[in-house]
Amino acid sequence: MKFTLITGASSGIGAQYAHLSAKEGNNLILVSNQPKPLQELSEKLSAQYGITVKYLDIDLSEADAAECIFDFATNLGEVDTLISNAGVLHCGKFCNATPEYIDFITALHCTTPMKLCRLFGADMASRRCGKILIMCSMTAWTPYPTMSLYGSTKVLLKNFAQSLWYELRECGVSVTTVFPGAVDTPLYNLDTTTRKVLRALGVMSSAESIARKGLRAMHRRRRTLVPGLFTKFVVLICRLLPAVALLPVIKIPAIRRILDRL
């Protein structure tokens, strides 16, 4: 039996990937560290679409998380699509981050996704077919104040995914990397009115929209996707301007007051 495996599947973009993949008729393996919503989503999708849905409650920052996921999945069947989506948003001055949190976010954003791609990617390459989708971030394109920890993990993920695309393309395995901007998910602690305004302005995208575009890009075997006109504009500016261009911005008193609180 073939499966689509999705990490961070219990909420946000991951849950939308699960809904859309189930609608396509794919059997699913959902992975997260939120057991109750994970179980509820699995039961709902299985009943609604008549597919097989398995789930695994696991902390993806643990050292052996990737190996445990791989063993769990291969005992069920064949994973022909891997969607590496799990992540956390972190804003704050780097010197305020604890060593334990640095270990946590590095493992969650970098180590476990790379191990998953190593294990499932090799399996796909041996069959000469498969698809990998990696969720990255627009913060991978330039340094942002207070995003040094989060953004740097995304830079590593961006470079890794792009290199992996070159390595696996001749083996029949596609690697698609998605670089969203702000997404309306629980990661952002915003009130309903603010979220509606930001979505209307195109500054923030819905999780469903990002997932739909991500799946479309993956099915077309695209190498990269920057969803949304606003995000495309910001990424373009970030790629053209040197990092020092941010210095005048962060000297603005109102901006500095915000940064000092983080």
Side-chain angles (χ1 to χ4, degrees):
M1 183 178 290
K2 294 184 178 182
F3 288 91
T4 292
L5 189 148
I6 306 170
T7 65
S10 57
S11 63
I13 300 174
Q16 292 301 320
Y17 274 129
H19 277 282
L20 294 171
S21 296
K23 192 174 181 179
E24 293 176 350
N26 300 309
N27 299 313
L28 303 177
I29 299 174
L30 307 181
V31 180
S32 172
N33 64 343
Q34 298 177 318
K36 185 176 180 180
L38 199 59
Q39 180 180 0
E40 292 173 350
L41 179 60
S42 299
E43 293 172 351
K44 177 182 178 180
L45 295 178
S46 180
Q48 184 174 356
Y49 296 104
I51 59 172
T52 298
V53 183
K54 302 294 183 179
Y55 68 91
L56 178 62
D57 169 27
I58 190 170
D59 182 351
L60 280 92
S61 69
E62 294 293 332
D64 63 345
E67 290 85 350
C68 291
I69 294 169
F70 183 74
D71 291 342
F72 178 82
T74 51
N75 283 331
L76 293 171
E78 176 183 303
V79 172
D80 64 353
T81 301
L82 168 65
I83 299 178
S84 179
N85 166 79
V88 294
L89 179 65
H90 176 263
C91 295
K93 290 185 176 180
F94 180 75
C95 290
N96 292 337
T98 65
E100 293 77 15
Y101 191 82
I102 294 173
D103 289 339
F104 163 75
I105 196 171
T106 303
L108 181 64
H109 286 181
C110 303
T111 306
T112 297
M114 287 192 293
K115 284 185 176 182
L116 288 173
C117 288
R118 162 63 181 85
L119 295 167
F120 288 107
D123 210 24
M124 294 174 185
S126 69
R127 300 191 304 268
R128 302 198 65 81
C129 67
K131 297 173 184 174
I132 296 174
L133 187 150
I134 298 174
M135 292 301 295
C136 196
S137 168
M138 63 178 285
T139 60
W141 296 102
T142 196
Y144 289 82
T146 75
M147 300 287 276
S148 56
L149 182 55
Y150 176 85
S152 61
T153 63
K154 296 299 184 177
V155 171
L156 185 148
L157 201 57
K158 173 176 73 75
N159 290 345
F160 163 73
Q162 300 302 286
S163 298
L164 190 63
W165 177 83
Y166 284 106
E167 292 187 22
L168 293 182
R169 61 192 299 265
E170 294 184 355
C171 301
V173 181
S174 65
V175 179
T176 301
T177 313
V178 182
F179 299 90
V183 183
D184 188 5
T185 72
L187 290 177
Y188 293 89
N189 186 22
L190 299 174
D191 60 79
T192 302
T193 301
T194 302
R195 288 161 51 197
K196 286 182 178 179
V197 171
L198 292 176
R199 287 201 307 267
L201 293 174
V203 175
M204 179 175 280
S205 303
S206 70
E208 190 274 339
S209 171
I210 296 297
R212 188 177 298 279
K213 292 175 181 177
L215 284 181
R216 187 185 304 127
M218 182 188 72
H219 290 322
R220 293 176 178 175
R221 307 179 81 84
R222 288 183 55 181
R223 183 168 62 92
T224 61
L225 170 69
V226 180
L229 290 176
F230 178 80
T231 307
K232 284 183 173 65
F233 173 76
V234 173
V235 168
L236 176 62
I237 295 300
C238 289
R239 296 180 71 176
L240 293 176
L241 292 179
V244 293
L246 283 173
L247 291 177
V249 176
I250 62 177
K251 289 180 180 179
I252 298 173
I255 300 296
R256 180 162 291 280
R257 285 195 295 271
I258 294 173
L259 296 180
D260 287 340
R261 291 200 297 268
L262 296 173

